[in-house]
Structures are given as structure tokens and as C-alpha cells.
Amino acid sequence: MSFKRPLTSLINLPVPLRSTTHTRSLHRLNAPTQRIPTPTPFVPDVPTFLTLIGRNLQTHAAKIPSWEALFTLTSQQLRESGVGPPRARRYFLWWRERFRKGVVGIGGDLRHVKDGKAELRVVETESGRSVDRVGTLTRGPGMRKVVVNMPPTPSSSSSETASKADTEAPANTASPPPQLSSKEAERTAVSGVKIIHGSAIGGRGVQAVKGQQGVAVLKVQEGLWEQKRGHKVDGGERRKEMVRAKRRVQERKMAR
């Protein structure tokens, strides 16, 4: 006669007590709220931002409805809305975080912008540096030249209609650059540009104004802030040795 174990003994078996805490599902609840930066005169809306960072991302402007959505949409939401390929999304998210932290390209610090166009001008301001105490042919004593952003003037906005005589005017007939106080020059100074040949303004996307010395225009244009992608050399890092070995073999065959 076989011995049958009562069912009550199975029910009363001790069960180990374990406390499980699921922290993965709760780690986003206390995440800090991401700051939404305010639009700037040079970057007032979503299409302008996408145009500046380049890589043909301005074609996705309709998929990002507002400025708040530009800085709050997640990578998954961008993927579902059709922003791609993945490389483009990663590039967009990288530039978005840079802009959120105040890192901008040329023109990002401009104050006076009208219709996506800003006027740059070379001016003189007081300098406390010892190297600027003695005047030169291009600046006065105790002065230094800086590039500032000025409100657009009618002469610069109609620069395309400048006469041929004004365009071919010699540089030495131009009037000296205007002077600004050091405080005003510091407030409106433009980063990312430089002065070349004494009065010309150089920089990425900077266009000189015809017939006006020391005056230039910076416009919103495709890829002005774009970080160029690299290109593979000899098939890239993984295939470089193989490609070069095959090339050497081919060169030896051709030399026979």
C-alpha cells in the first residue's frame, strides 16, 4: 500500500519572501524637465533652425509643429513622424542639445536681424591694450577695430543696385570707420568673423556689400552651421588593410 502525502503539507510549505524593486520602469519619473530655449533674432522658428544645421533637414520642418516640439520630441517620436534616417536624427538631436546649452554657430549672437539678414560693420572702439597705443594707417591711437552688428540701413539693403562707379572706387577714398563706446561695442560684437586687409569682414557665409568698405551682410542659408561628414579612405578603418593589400597586388601585376 503506497503512502500518499496529504495535500495540506504541500500548501503549508514555506515560501521564501523576496522584495523586488523595479527601478528601470521608474527611472524617468524624476528626470529633470528639459529647458526650452527662447528663439533668437537669427533663429526665430523651426524651419530656420533646420536650414542652418543643414544635411537637408529643412525638408522635415512640417513634421515638427512648434518651437516647443522642437526641443521636447524624443528620438522615437521623431522616428514615428518620419524624420530619418537614423544618422539624421542623431545629428538633429546633437545640434538640439548644443542649442539648448547656448552653443551656436556664426550669427547666433546677432541682435539686429531683419528677414533673415543681418548687417555687420567694422567700427573703432577704445582699447586699453599697450599694443594699440600707437596709431597706424588703418586706425587711430588708442583704438582697435571690431566687427559689430548694426541695425540694417537702406544703403546696405539696396546693395545689389549699387553703381559700377561705387563698386570700383579705390579703398583709400572710403571714410574712416565709425566709433563706438567700448560698452556698446562689446554688447554688439559678433563672434566667428574676422577683419582682413584692414577693413574687409571675413567669415563663413559673410558677403561684402558693394561700394561700402567695412560693411558686410550675413544671411540665413542652408548649412551655415552644418558639421560636415567625413569620408571613408580606402574603405574605412575596417577594410583599409584589405583594400590596400589588393591594390599592392594589382600594382605588382601591372608592373610585370
Side-chain angles (χ1 to χ4, degrees):
M1 184 175 181
S2 61
F3 176 75
K4 293 184 179 180
R5 198 171 192 179
L7 295 178
T8 56
S9 62
L10 297 177
I11 297 175
N12 296 329
L13 287 176
V15 179
L17 299 178
R18 295 181 300 173
S19 60
T20 304
T21 305
H22 298 281
T23 57
R24 282 292 288 183
S25 59
L26 302 177
H27 75 288
R28 294 297 299 172
L29 293 181
N30 297 325
T33 304
Q34 295 289 344
R35 184 182 68 89
I36 300 178
T38 57
T40 64
F42 198 64
V43 192
D45 49 32
V46 175
T48 304
F49 177 78
L50 298 179
T51 300
L52 288 171
I53 64 177
R55 297 196 184 181
N56 206 30
L57 284 172
Q58 79 278 5
T59 58
H60 301 293
K63 303 171 185 176
I64 303 177
S66 64
W67 183 264
E68 290 73 18
L70 177 68
F71 291 93
T72 55
L73 290 177
T74 63
S75 180
Q76 181 64 24
Q77 291 172 334
L78 291 171
R79 179 175 178 270
E80 293 173 354
S81 62
V83 179
R87 176 185 291 179
R89 286 197 301 274
R90 289 194 299 267
Y91 176 73
F92 164 76
L93 294 173
W94 177 74
W95 249 118
R96 186 177 74 174
E97 292 307 311
R98 284 168 60 91
F99 192 88
R100 195 196 306 274
K101 296 176 181 178
V103 181
V104 294
I106 184 173
D109 55 351
L110 297 175
R111 295 173 176 266
H112 307 286
V113 183
K114 182 178 181 180
D115 299 329
K117 183 188 303 183
E119 179 179 324
L120 311 181
R121 188 178 293 270
V122 176
V123 300
E124 283 188 350
T125 183
E126 298 177 356
S127 174
R129 302 182 303 179
S130 58
V131 69
D132 297 328
R133 291 177 182 174
V134 181
T136 64
L137 294 176
T138 58
R139 61 171 176 79
M143 308 293 288
R144 64 185 179 93
K145 288 184 176 182
V146 295
V147 179
V148 298
N149 174 218
M150 304 290 289
T153 57
S155 58
S156 61
S157 61
S158 59
S159 60
E160 298 298 330
T161 60
S163 63
K164 184 177 180 181
D166 293 337
T167 305
E168 297 177 352
N172 55 8
T173 61
S175 59
Q179 295 185 0
L180 285 181
S181 64
S182 57
K183 185 177 180 180
E184 181 67 17
E186 182 180 357
R187 188 179 68 88
T188 58
V190 181
S191 59
V193 297
K194 59 182 179 181
I195 301 175
I196 55 179
H197 304 301
S199 60
I201 303 175
R204 187 174 184 179
V206 176
Q207 302 174 3
V209 176
K210 295 180 180 179
Q212 298 188 49
Q213 191 177 27
V215 182
V217 171
L218 181 62
K219 302 177 182 179
V220 173
Q221 51 189 291
E222 167 67 21
L224 185 63
W225 294 359
E226 181 177 355
Q227 300 289 326
K228 300 295 183 181
R229 288 195 297 260
H231 63 281
K232 292 183 177 181
V233 178
D234 293 339
E237 291 294 330
R238 291 183 295 177
R239 302 179 61 243
K240 180 170 59 177
E241 296 299 330
M242 180 184 66
V243 170
R244 292 182 178 180
K246 289 183 178 181
R247 183 185 302 164
R248 289 192 295 267
V249 172
Q250 186 65 26
E251 290 175 354
R252 287 194 293 267
K253 288 182 178 179
M254 297 298 294
R256 295 176 183 175

